[in-house]
Amino acid sequence: MSNTLILYSGARLDLPAEHFLFPNIEGHERLQIPSYSFLIAHPSKGQVLFDLSLRKDIQSLAPVVANRINNPKVGWKVSVPQDVPDTLIANGIELSEIKTIFWSHQHFEHLGDPCKFPSSTELVVGPGFTQAYTPGYPDNPESPVKAADLKGRRVNELDFNNGRQAISIGRFKAFDWFKDGSFYLLDVPGHAAGHICGFARVKPDSFVLMGGVSQRGCLP
């Protein structure tokens, strides 16, 4: 079994509800959403992160995203008192201890700032991610992903159709990351290209689902 902790650094989004929900509900015109990261600690195979929440320097996001946040007509408000790397260090965890970062998908509130982690930390994405979003900015001005976030580290795109490792959990294709049934990646297409969820066993008959979606529900 794996030990799963939710890392919440106080990062929040305050967004017009009409951008995501219909019809409008009087008195609920805005969505106030926390942004989380999940730390999964395996007893023998180290620690990994599912999503990185928001980066502190929002202005350093790819322009296609930063320009939208900064546009007063859009009405988005973003607050990041402390990012995930700072939260880890504050709790006595060295960034070099993180073996892998899983990106659930390309939305900015999940990407964080991988550059703060050493190059030994690999980045794992879902199927179709690299085709849809790489090369990153500035090589592709329209990409929401920055090339610097990928440069110099291993980027591993999951293949859920690998015959030797293909399994299913419910109706979703799954990947047994630690190969002992303690933590799975789920292939959940529909919300975004390469969208994956995390599924961690915390008791013999109990799991934590990391939906990887902060705005429209857990699963497509």
Side-chain angles (χ1 to χ4, degrees):
M1 290 181 289
S2 55
N3 184 19
T4 304
L5 300 174
I6 298 176
L7 298 178
Y8 178 51
S9 57
R12 297 187 68 86
L13 297 93
D14 185 336
L15 313 168
E18 63 182 0
H19 291 179
F20 308 98
L21 302 174
F22 181 85
N24 292 330
I25 301 174
E26 186 176 353
H28 298 276
E29 287 78 16
R30 297 192 68 84
L31 296 176
Q32 295 183 343
I33 306 169
S35 181
Y36 297 111
S37 175
F38 295 86
L39 175 66
I40 300 100
H42 190 276
S44 63
K45 298 182 180 180
Q47 301 179 93
V48 300
L49 286 171
F50 187 85
D51 276 342
L52 282 183
S53 184
L54 288 152
R55 64 187 298 152
K56 193 170 184 178
D57 55 339
I58 294 297
Q59 303 305 321
S60 296
L61 286 164
V64 69
V65 181
N67 292 342
R68 183 175 181 83
I69 295 173
N70 293 330
N71 185 345
K73 295 182 180 180
V74 175
W76 287 16
K77 300 177 183 178
V78 179
S79 173
V80 191
Q82 182 173 269
D83 61 14
V84 168
D86 289 343
T87 302
L88 289 168
I89 293 171
N91 285 275
I93 300 174
E94 296 291 335
L95 300 187
S96 59
E97 297 178 32
I98 304 301
K99 306 297 183 184
T100 304
I101 296 168
F102 301 98
W103 270 350
S104 64
H105 62 299
Q106 91 291 357
H107 288 160
F108 72 97
E109 71 272 28
H110 301 269
L111 300 182
D113 187 0
C115 293
K116 289 190 174 182
F117 293 82
S119 59
S120 58
T121 301
E122 73 169 333
L123 191 61
V124 174
V125 297
F129 185 98
T130 53
Q131 180 178 354
Y133 306 118
T134 62
Y137 175 84
D139 301 308
N140 176 7
E142 298 303 315
S143 177
V145 177
K146 296 180 66 175
D149 291 343
L150 312 174
K151 186 177 180 180
R153 73 178 68 249
R154 181 173 184 251
V155 178
N156 178 8
E157 183 170 296
L158 296 172
D159 179 6
F160 288 95
N161 295 315
N162 187 321
R164 294 178 302 168
Q165 300 168 324
I167 58 174
S168 295
I169 295 178
R171 64 187 177 92
F172 300 104
K173 296 176 183 178
F175 191 97
D176 186 349
W177 183 255
F178 293 123
K179 300 180 180 179
D180 62 2
S182 65
F183 179 62
Y184 298 91
L185 283 310
L186 307 181
D187 182 20
V188 286
H191 178 66
H195 184 204
I196 57 175
C197 288
F199 198 55
R201 188 190 301 272
V202 291
K203 294 181 180 179
D205 60 351
S206 181
F207 292 81
V208 171
L209 174 66
M210 302 158 208
V213 182
S214 60
Q215 298 164 348
R216 304 184 185 180
C218 287
L219 297 176

